[in-house]
Amino acid sequence: KHKMDLTYPSFEGLRRYPSPRAVEGGAESRVKSPMMHNIKKTKAVIIVGGPKDGTRFRPLSLNHPKPLFPIAGVPMVYHHLEACAQLPGIMEIILLGVFPEAQFTEFAAAASQRLGIPVKYLREFQPLGTAGGLYFFRDLIMTHNPEALLVIHADIVADIPIVDLVDFHASMNKAGDHVTVMSTPARKDMAKNYGCLISDPTSYEVSHYVEKPQTYISNDINCGVYIFSPAIFDDMRAVFVNNHESKEANPQMIWLERDVLSNMAGTGRLYMYKTGNFWSQIKTASSAIYANRHYLETYRRLTPESHHSLARSTEDGPTISGDVWIHSSADIHPTAKLGPNVSIGIGAKIGPGARIRDSIILDRVVVGNHSLVMNSIVDDGCTIGEWSRVEGAPVGSNPNDPTTAVQPKELFTEKGTLEPSTTIIGTDSTISDEVLVLNVICLPHKDITSDCKNQIIL
């Protein structure tokens, strides 16, 4: 069910994570310091969470583990695996979470074969916080003595400047017991929704770190991307011991941001790498549409047209507008029009005269003749009848603004009405002919036989 298809467009050999755009105090305006540490052996850990996380991603996460939800033709987390593959001296990539092993074992094996790098999944016996799992599996993570660890939260979309990030880390802190946090500028009104850092503009040392402050502190926010020196496990051990001595209910629960980074700030061991590269979180369905747009655009921009596998208009094929990815097994009628920002999954069938834009159409979906799908995600096995219209609200963030991000909204407005958002049609649902579905969240296995607007269909 969650098998990774290996016929997606290949990103191998591409520099998909270019050097950062220049921002004030950012990477390109920085004078490179000489290397203090020769980092030759590295590992990467991607924190994927568990089934109780990602509630704002429902109903999509009812059918897919959120990290394996397809964006731009591949599971969300695979984009990070590609980034990790660029890490100098990479020995292994570890997926760390609470999902059952069966949901990740096959994916990890396929990704390992594809990348030529060992990929394994480690399951926490219970949720242990953002650092508890790292500490619990510290011996496995530190096998073969990596000199640095790249740690990434899975629920982000970003152009991570891997090589520059490691070089920066290697040039900081003579003792080599430090942590580098990748940061990006955010608008003042958005910054307090993230971890905020205050750093010295010359030394890049972080003097103050607060996770989701109640008031404005800084517009430099934590991207959820880190380079750890192995000494980080000593800091985690100190938290673990303190939790035991304080008789905490779950002493193995360790939060990286609150328990570790906040304490490291101001000690000369925490550094901020500031980038203007694209970054956003993937918390909701709307942000998945946003991420799909970005990954398709990046692939098209960095791949020669003669080599890329994005769809093109042909005399005997559908009309393609903008960036569109279509699985090779999908059946698209020549009179259909797709794009921009569209991904079509395995075995999907798009009928005559159908129009799809700014949407993700997953496996085995059938879109009937002359139907419209816009600003929507249609999950596996759904059927949309003829002359129907499935539409959500457009994603409002500006893809050309590196300081923007998709902000999670409340589900309902102050008046109790459903907040305009991406329309989601849950797996194996059916929409009858000539039906309007506007701003709707539909759970799996439902039949929609009449017009629906601004509703949650339970």
Side-chain angles (χ1 to χ4, degrees):
K1 186 176 182 180
H2 304 294
K3 185 181 294 184
M4 186 181 77
D5 179 69
L6 296 182
T7 62
Y8 60 85
S10 173
F11 294 96
E12 294 179 8
L14 297 177
R15 185 171 169 81
R16 294 191 60 247
Y17 303 88
S19 296
R21 302 183 187 98
V23 296
E24 184 179 354
E28 288 188 355
S29 62
R30 212 167 20 227
V31 176
K32 285 197 172 184
S33 303
M35 299 297 174
M36 295 185 184
H37 313 287
N38 186 15
I39 298 175
K40 292 184 177 180
K41 298 191 297 182
T42 58
K43 286 190 179 184
V45 180
I46 302 176
I47 300 174
V48 299
K52 293 185 178 180
D53 298 319
T55 55
R56 285 175 288 184
F57 208 69
R58 292 176 183 169
L60 300 173
S61 56
L62 299 177
N63 187 41
H64 313 263
K66 182 182 173 184
L68 299 185
F69 181 80
I71 295 179
V74 295
M76 180 193 307
V77 73
Y78 189 78
H79 295 285
H80 296 318
L81 294 179
E82 287 187 319
C84 294
Q86 299 185 51
L87 192 64
I90 181 72
M91 297 186 293
E92 183 179 50
I93 303 173
I94 295 170
L95 304 173
L96 179 61
V98 195
F99 291 99
E101 289 92 338
Q103 294 184 328
F104 276 83
T105 302
E106 189 174 2
F107 166 77
S112 180
Q113 179 184 5
R114 186 74 175 184
L115 295 170
I117 298 169
V119 178
K120 71 168 60 171
Y121 176 68
L122 298 178
R123 184 187 182 187
E124 301 172 26
F125 64 94
Q126 66 180 42
L128 297 175
T130 50
L134 291 165
Y135 185 67
F136 183 80
F137 287 110
R138 60 195 180 279
D139 291 337
L140 287 174
I141 293 171
M142 290 305 297
T143 302
H144 304 304
N145 301 312
E147 295 158 325
L149 299 174
L150 169 66
V151 177
I152 304 175
H153 285 282
D155 61 347
I156 63 170
V157 50
D159 288 340
I160 305 174
I162 295 290
V163 175
D164 291 343
L165 184 61
V166 174
D167 287 348
F168 173 87
H169 182 81
S171 66
M172 297 291 117
N173 187 276
K174 190 174 183 180
D177 59 354
H178 57 301
V179 168
T180 296
V181 181
M182 191 174 97
S183 172
T184 192
R187 295 197 306 267
K188 184 175 181 179
D189 60 314
M190 293 166 51
K192 66 180 182 179
N193 296 319
Y194 306 95
C196 295
L197 305 97
I198 297 176
S199 67
D200 184 280
T202 303
S203 67
Y204 315 113
E205 291 183 17
V206 175
S207 59
H208 194 47
Y209 179 87
V210 180
E211 184 68 15
K212 297 180 180 178
Q214 294 183 347
T215 59
Y216 174 77
I217 291 179
S218 166
N219 71 335
D220 292 328
I221 64 171
N222 180 355
C223 290
V225 179
Y226 313 93
I227 300 290
F228 289 166
S229 297
I232 187 71
F233 292 110
D234 295 333
D235 296 89
M236 294 178 186
R237 181 179 183 278
V239 175
F240 177 77
V241 170
N242 182 67
N243 287 346
H244 268 283
E245 293 176 348
S246 303
K247 300 187 184 302
E248 295 285 342
N250 184 0
Q252 293 178 303
M253 180 77 73
I254 304 174
W255 295 98
L256 177 64
E257 302 81 5
R258 183 191 67 197
D259 298 331
V260 180
L261 299 185
S262 293
N263 291 332
M264 293 182 73
T267 65
R269 297 179 54 220
L270 186 64
Y271 294 84
M272 184 182 81
Y273 175 92
K274 187 173 180 179
T275 176
N277 276 15
F278 183 97
W279 178 89
S280 185
Q281 287 184 313
I282 305 177
K283 295 293 187 183
T284 64
S286 295
S287 53
I289 297 287
Y290 191 53
N292 191 71
R293 177 201 297 164
H294 173 71
Y295 282 131
L296 290 177
E297 186 275 333
T298 302
Y299 177 65
R300 185 252 307 152
R301 177 168 47 86
L302 297 179
T303 311
E305 186 174 354
S306 59
H307 290 81
H308 73 58
S309 300
L310 296 181
R312 303 180 181 89
S313 293
T314 60
E315 291 184 3
D316 57 350
T319 301
I320 304 298
S321 174
D323 299 326
V324 175
W325 180 83
I326 303 173
H327 191 273
S328 58
S329 66
D331 180 9
I332 314 296
H333 194 273
T335 61
K337 183 175 181 179
L338 310 179
N341 184 23
V342 170
S343 291
I344 306 290
I346 299 170
K349 183 175 182 179
I350 312 300
R355 177 73 174 101
I356 302 175
R357 65 168 295 164
D358 292 297
S359 296
I360 298 175
I361 307 297
L362 296 183
D363 301 349
R364 307 181 313 281
V365 169
V366 177
V367 179
N369 304 354
H370 307 288
S371 287
L372 168 70
V373 180
M374 185 164 62
N375 303 314
S376 301
I377 297 177
V378 185
D379 209 343
D380 294 344
C382 289
T383 299
I384 298 173
E386 299 180 3
W387 295 97
S388 291
R389 184 182 184 102
V390 179
E391 183 176 357
V395 179
S397 297
N398 178 6
N400 299 314
D401 180 2
T403 66
T404 192
V406 178
Q407 290 300 295
K409 296 180 179 179
E410 296 296 332
L411 192 58
F412 297 97
T413 66
E414 294 180 355
K415 297 180 180 180
T417 58
L418 190 65
E419 187 77 47
S421 185
T422 299
T423 284
I424 306 171
I425 307 299
T427 184
D428 292 327
S429 294
T430 300
I431 298 173
S432 298
D433 296 345
E434 301 180 17
V435 167
L436 170 64
V437 179
L438 179 65
N439 190 33
V440 165
I441 298 174
C442 174
L443 269 67
H445 313 295
K446 300 292 180 273
D447 293 326
I448 302 177
T449 58
S450 58
D451 293 355
C452 296
K453 300 179 183 179
N454 305 313
Q455 294 183 36
I456 299 177
I457 300 176
L458 299 175

